[in-house]
Amino acid sequence: LGNSSVLQNSNTYPPYRFHLGDTECTVVSDGPLDLGPPAQSFPGVSEEEIREQLARNFLPIDTVLAEQNILIVQVGGKRVLFETGMGAEETLFGTNSGRLFSSLERAGIAPESVDAIACSHPHPDHIGGICSPSGEPRFPNAQIYLSKKDFSFWTDEKLLGTKADAAVKIARSNLLPVRDRLVFFEDGEEFLPGVQAMYTPGHTAEHTCFILTAKNQSLALIGDVSHHPVLLLERPRNHFVADLDPKQAAASRVRLFAMLAEKRMPILGYHFPWPGIGHVAAEGDGFRYVPEAVRWTAT
Ligand SMILES: [Zn+2]
C-alpha cells in the first residue's frame, strides 16, 4: 500500500468551541510538530508493521505529524489554559509550531486574561510558550500548575549535556523565570474547580492527565499518554521514543484507555488530529480512537 493520504494545506485552524456541561470550551492550535519518519518515534516495531498500520488507516507513511491541541476553559471564575505549545523553539520539530499566540488572538483571548496554566509535564511542546526567549512571562497573570517531581527533574542542571539537554534548557528557560508562580498538584487532587490531576507515569515520572468535569459531564485530557491516534492505540504496549520509562508508559496507557473506554468518557488528545476530541473504544488487544465530527454549535 502506498501513501494514500491527501496533502493538507498549511492554514492555521480557527478556534473550535464546544460545551462540556455548562462550560464553554475552546480548542486552539499551536500548529503541528513534524516528528519525522515513523520508525524513529516508535521503536521496537518493524518498519513494515508501522507502514501497514498507517497505510491501512489512510495515514501518511513517510512522516508523523503530531498536532498540539490547546484547551481553554472557564472554571470557578478562572480562565484556564491546558499546555502552551512550543513557543519560539523551531529547531526540534519543524517550523509549523509556535502559533499559539496568533491562535489565541483569533479566538479573542488575550494572554493577560489567562489566570491559570496546567501542564501535563514539562516537555518543550507543553511548556515552551510560558516565557519569551528573553525570559518574559507571556501570560503575566497566570499561575502555572504542574507536578513537582517533573519540575525538579526537567530543570535539573545536572541533565545539561546529556541527551535530555535540549528539553532541560527549554524547561529551565520557561519555568525558572516563573518559579514563584508555580503551583504543584498531587495525584488525584482537584486543584482547580472541576479539574482533577491523574498521574499516568511513564512518559515522565509524574506525567499527568486532567479530568475536567462540568455538570456531570467529564472530558479526559490525555496529554502524552499517546502521541498517535492509531499506532499506540492498536498496539498500546508498543513504545514511544521519548518515554522516560516505556514499560511504565505502556502500562499507564492500557490502564487509562481501558477506563476511558469503559466509562465512554470523551477525550482531548493533545497530539491527535485537530481538534482532538473523540472517544476511545476497546478493540481486539488494544483500542480504537473514534474522532468526534467537527461541527458548529450555538454558543
Ligand atoms: Zn507532547
Side-chain angles (χ1 to χ4, degrees), residues 160-289:
L160 293 171
T162 71
K163 68 175 186 177
D165 185 76
V168 172
K169 276 188 185 137
I170 293 168
R172 289 173 64 84
S173 64
N174 279 277
L175 296 174
L176 297 184
V178 293
R179 179 68 186 82
D180 61 344
R181 291 169 179 274
L182 301 183
V183 184
F184 301 119
F185 47 61
E186 301 289 336
D187 187 22
E189 183 184 349
E190 185 179 343
F191 60 95
L192 288 165
V195 186
Q196 187 184 21
M198 182 167 66
Y199 288 179
T200 38
H203 182 59
T204 59
E206 288 183 346
H207 176 277
T208 303
C209 292
F210 302 113
I211 307 291
L212 178 64
T213 302
K215 284 247 168 154
N216 298 326
Q217 278 198 319
S218 292
L219 176 73
L221 284 75
I222 68 166
D224 283 11
V225 166
S226 175
H227 288 74
H228 199 281
V230 168
L231 297 177
L232 292 178
L233 272 84
E234 285 190 355
R235 319 244 163 100
R237 289 164 192 85
N238 286 359
H239 296 169
F240 179 69
V241 69
D243 288 343
L244 199 61
D245 182 336
K247 280 196 174 144
Q248 191 186 35
S252 287
R253 191 178 302 124
V254 170
R255 195 166 54 237
L256 177 75
F257 287 158
M259 185 273 275
L260 296 173
E262 205 232 303
K263 293 193 176 203
R264 299 176 66 87
M265 189 188 293
I267 69 163
L268 173 73
Y270 182 66
H271 288 306
F272 285 10
W274 184 88
I277 312 286
H279 286 84
V280 173
E283 188 168 274
D285 292 337
F287 302 93
R288 182 166 55 100
Y289 173 59

Side-chain angles (χ1 to χ4, degrees), residues 75-144:
V75 293
K78 287 188 180 198
R79 179 170 266 171
V80 189
L81 182 77
F82 292 89
E83 324 284 16
T84 67
M86 287 293 287
E89 168 57 47
E90 290 191 337
T91 59
L92 290 177
F93 304 115
T95 56
N96 288 318
S97 60
R99 299 179 184 181
L100 172 61
F101 294 91
S102 53
S103 296
L104 284 173
E105 192 176 351
R106 194 166 170 186
I109 295 170
E112 299 77 34
S113 71
V114 173
D115 302 298
I117 296 169
C119 299
S120 58
H121 65 296
H123 277 173
D125 52 318
H126 298 259
I127 50 87
I130 291 176
C131 286
S132 70
S134 59
E136 288 298 311
R138 301 195 69 171
F139 298 91
N141 300 311
Q143 287 190 295
I144 295 132

